[in-house]
Amino acid sequence: MKQKTINIKGFEVGGDKTYIIADIGSNHRQELSLAKESIDAAVESGANAIKFQSIQLDSLYLNPNSITRNLVKQLEFPEEWHYILKEYCDKKNIVFFSSPTYLKSVEILEEINVPLYKIASAQIGTFPQIIEKIASLNKPTIFSTGIAAYSEIIRAVDIFKKQGNDNFIILHCNSIYPTPSDKVNLGLINTYQSMFGNPVGFSDHTIGTHIASAAVTLGAKVIEKHFTLNRNLGTPDSNSFACDPDELKLMVTQIREIENAINIKNDRLQIQAEEYDFKSSILYRCVAKRDLKVGENIKSEDFEFLRFYNGLDARDLFYNQNYIVKEFITKGEVITLNKLNIEYGKESFSN
């Protein structure tokens, strides 16, 4: 079955290339200059998109306790930044989008005309109103699985389909920070693809880049990775499983090389030009083990088979013809066709 593709500003998600998202999240410390510097670094690393989280304490909580207030205040994304950073990303030719967590944030994102949305697993399983609001926009949307139960993912898909929006991407992820390798369950990438028929990706919360790269070999068409300029920023998302600029660049390079390795560009049943040149250099030729007189029918035991740049190919001798000596051949001589006659109509001595 041909996989569905979803177009995001000219990028066909579900095609041969992987859509790579640098998730800056809260790694801006409410400093606009730091947010812009992070965008610059992600662009330099080769990411396709930048993601933030649209979070405002007062739009999310009623009378939060001090612990919640202190944590969420670190995560807050100033609403005016949506406008500023969308324009900045446009100038840098990278996609800006965000995960809305309250209804007004969807309206803000629509005002700046983001090309896609992401619904975090925290909203997939708890906030059908925001799912419906985003579904009605008919834009590409990423569903993160995380803490969303299977039944909740199904309900989110149903909400989208009722709105006539089939432009969703399932993003397998684990809400364990960091995720140990034995909890990742990359096999779910194929499971989700079989279940929904839409592109599937992976939001990576493991340490390093190797698990994300492995996900691409299993069919992940989107890779999202937390991104920070420095793991010592002191923000909740600046941690051991977030890529710094060097690691993000490495991950992008690894993924692009993996794509080259797994995407079929020619009929591999035929050897490639570089392989043919090498094969030609190691062909076995027929070398006389004794003097061969004119008129003799040559036999397999008359030869050694050694690699040489010209002469009678061992394959021709084995498969094709019966040869008679036409000119005297001395011991140690490489046999050439001009010293042989071909006797047709006889069964080969090697058969």
Side-chain angles (χ1 to χ4, degrees), residues 105-222:
S105 61
V106 178
E107 296 168 8
I108 294 170
L109 290 167
E110 270 305 284
E111 283 183 23
I112 61 174
N113 195 27
V114 292
L116 80 155
Y117 283 86
K118 180 185 175 184
I119 306 177
S121 63
Q123 282 71 50
I124 290 284
T126 64
F127 202 179
Q129 290 86 354
I130 203 167
I131 298 172
E132 184 178 53
K133 189 176 184 73
I134 294 170
S136 69
L137 302 172
N138 201 36
K139 286 187 175 179
T141 302
I142 294 169
F143 296 166
S144 189
T145 60
I147 58 172
Y150 169 71
S151 59
E152 293 166 337
I153 298 168
I154 293 293
R155 282 199 289 267
V157 169
D158 287 344
I159 290 170
F160 262 64
K161 290 189 172 180
K162 284 177 182 176
Q163 294 291 327
N165 187 346
D166 193 39
N167 295 315
F168 60 86
I169 298 161
I170 305 293
L171 201 65
H172 169 51
C173 80
N174 314 94
S175 295
I176 306 170
Y177 308 94
T179 308
S181 59
D182 62 346
K183 299 288 187 181
V184 174
N185 296 311
L186 285 182
L188 283 172
I189 292 169
N190 287 325
T191 301
Y192 289 138
Q193 211 287 314
S194 297
M195 287 168 55
F196 299 108
N198 280 37
V200 176
F202 177 55
S203 181
D204 184 24
H205 296 144
T206 67
I207 295 172
T209 63
H210 54 296
I211 303 297
S213 297
V216 174
T217 70
L218 293 175
K221 298 301 182 181
V222 175

Side-chain angles (χ1 to χ4, degrees), residues 45 227 243-251:
S45 297
F227 178 62
C243 277
D244 64 19
D246 288 340
E247 285 177 316
L248 182 61
K249 192 169 188 177
L250 172 65
M251 186 185 79

Side-chain angles (χ1 to χ4, degrees), residues 28 32 35-36 39 51-56 59 75-90 95-114 116-117:
H28 47 69
L32 185 59
K36 288 183 175 180
I39 291 168
K51 188 186 81 69
F52 290 94
Q53 286 181 292
S54 300
I55 293 176
Q56 284 290 308
S59 297
L75 301 173
E76 277 194 333
F77 188 77
E79 289 185 341
E80 64 272 17
W81 280 19
H82 292 85
Y83 305 90
I84 297 168
L85 294 182
K86 168 63 162 60
E87 183 179 3
Y88 190 77
C89 285
D90 286 349
V95 168
F96 169 94
F97 74 114
S98 183
S99 297
T101 59
Y102 57 100
L103 291 174
K104 182 186 174 186
S105 61
V106 178
E107 296 168 8
I108 294 170
L109 290 167
E110 270 305 284
E111 283 183 23
I112 61 174
N113 195 27
V114 292
L116 80 155
Y117 283 86

